[in-house]
Amino acid sequence: MPMWSLCAQFCSRVKMCKSINFIGSNKTCQINYAEPGEYYGELVESLGNSFAATSTFPKELAGTCQGHDCKLNEVCMPNGTTYYCFPWTQPFAKRNFTQIFVACPGNQQSILTTWKNPSTGMNYDIENIKNPCTNMNNQHIRSTMIDKWGVLPIDQVKVELFKNGELTVQIYFDGHGSTNSDWFSKDRLRSNSFNDLTQSSITNLFSMDGHPNYGRHLFISKRSGGCNADYGWLVVIDISDATSRYCNFDRLPGKAYPYILYGADHHVARFNYDYEVDLADKMIISISMV
C-alpha cells in the first residue's frame, strides 16, 4: 500500500480526522480536523502535498474499523475480525515520539527480558515521570504499547542514550511493518548520531538478541576478533542468559549488571578499551506514528 494510502487509512480510523495532507518528499502525514469550507484554523498549511478529505475515502479503507464507535479522543485499531479503541494522546495526535521503554543500568534486571516480557508491562505515562530511573527505584519502565506493536501505525523507532543527564546518542529506525524485536536491525536503520554507522557499514551483529552466550544484547558489532579486537557501536551487557563473561568489557570491576556501552566521540570503538567507550546512565526507546 502506498504511503499516502496508509496516511488516509489511519485518518479513516480517527473520528477527529477530517482530511489529510501527505508530503511525499519526506513521507509526512498531516492530520487535519476540518475539510475545506469548514473552520480554516483546523487545516494545516503545507506545500507540495497530496490533499484528501475523508468524505472522499472509500468506506472499506477503514477495514474492521468501518462504523466504529470509538470516542473522539480515541483511535480505532483493527484486531482480527474486530477492533479496539486506543487513547488518542497529545503526543500521538501531533505525531511526536512517545516514550515506551526506559532502561536503568545497575538494577540486576535484564533489559532484554523486561522488553520482551508482557507481564512486566506498565501503563505509566513515561514522559511525565521526572527522572524515571531515580523516582521509580531504578526499575526499568515498560509500556504495554510494546505488546500492541502489531496493530499500531508505527513510523519510526528511536533509541536514545544519556550520560550525566545529557543526551549523547540517537538512533532512528524504520518501524513500518516491523515487530517489537526486528525493528532493531541494520536494514531498518534510518539515521543516527554516530559518524561512521550507516546501512552500508560492515557489521557482524546488529540485533536485539545480539550474542546471548555472552549476554550482549541490543548489540551493534562491527567485528569480533578476540577481546581486544571486538569493535562496535553499542552493546547492552545484560544479566539474563550469559554463560560466559569472556572479555574485560563483559565484567567491568565494581559495575553492577546490566550496563550500556557505546562508542565515545560518536565513532566505532573497541569495547575492551575503556578510553574508547562510554557508559550510558539511561536508555529510552520511543516510537512515532503515521
Side-chain angles (χ1 to χ4, degrees), residues 128-223:
N128 289 327
I129 301 175
K130 187 176 181 180
N131 302 320
C133 289
T134 301
N135 292 332
M136 299 300 292
N137 298 317
N138 206 42
Q139 304 297 299
H140 306 316
I141 306 174
R142 181 188 191 278
S143 168
T144 54
M145 291 178 73
I146 296 171
D147 307 316
K148 301 179 177 71
W149 197 283
V151 295
L152 295 177
I154 296 175
D155 177 26
Q156 295 186 72
V157 188
K158 177 173 64 173
V159 176
E160 297 174 298
L161 302 183
F162 296 80
K163 183 177 177 64
N164 299 324
E166 298 293 328
L167 178 63
T168 59
V169 171
Q170 287 184 310
I171 311 175
Y172 292 84
F173 297 89
D174 182 359
H176 293 95
S178 65
T179 68
N180 63 11
S181 59
D182 72 4
W183 60 268
F184 191 88
S185 67
K186 186 168 70 171
D187 289 343
R188 291 185 172 275
L189 184 66
R190 277 191 174 181
S191 62
N192 64 92
S193 56
F194 290 107
N195 295 323
D196 51 2
L197 177 61
T198 67
Q199 281 193 338
S200 60
S201 297
I202 296 174
T203 60
N204 72 318
L205 280 172
F206 197 136
S207 70
M208 294 197 80
D209 287 338
H211 202 317
N213 290 340
Y214 294 137
R216 301 171 186 170
H217 299 147
L218 286 101
F219 197 10
I220 308 179
S221 169
K222 180 179 178 67
R223 185 175 71 203

Side-chain angles (χ1 to χ4, degrees), residues 52-178:
T54 55
S55 58
T56 66
F57 295 167
K59 292 183 178 180
E60 60 268 24
L61 187 64
T64 57
C65 285
Q66 183 176 338
H68 69 84
D69 61 354
C70 294
K71 299 176 182 177
L72 287 177
N73 62 346
E74 294 178 328
V75 183
C76 178
M77 293 295 185
N79 186 17
T81 58
T82 182
Y83 65 87
Y84 68 94
C85 299
F86 190 85
W88 173 275
T89 62
Q90 192 65 13
F92 190 105
K94 290 185 176 181
R95 298 177 308 282
N96 291 335
F97 280 89
T98 301
Q99 296 177 7
I100 60 171
F101 189 78
V102 180
C104 303
N107 61 14
Q108 297 295 333
Q109 296 177 344
S110 167
I111 291 175
L112 183 65
T113 300
T114 303
W115 172 272
K116 288 184 173 183
N117 190 352
S119 67
T120 60
M122 301 179 184
N123 286 315
Y124 292 121
D125 185 357
I126 296 177
E127 295 182 37
N128 289 327
I129 301 175
K130 187 176 181 180
N131 302 320
C133 289
T134 301
N135 292 332
M136 299 300 292
N137 298 317
N138 206 42
Q139 304 297 299
H140 306 316
I141 306 174
R142 181 188 191 278
S143 168
T144 54
M145 291 178 73
I146 296 171
D147 307 316
K148 301 179 177 71
W149 197 283
V151 295
L152 295 177
I154 296 175
D155 177 26
Q156 295 186 72
V157 188
K158 177 173 64 173
V159 176
E160 297 174 298
L161 302 183
F162 296 80
K163 183 177 177 64
N164 299 324
E166 298 293 328
L167 178 63
T168 59
V169 171
Q170 287 184 310
I171 311 175
Y172 292 84
F173 297 89
D174 182 359
H176 293 95
S178 65

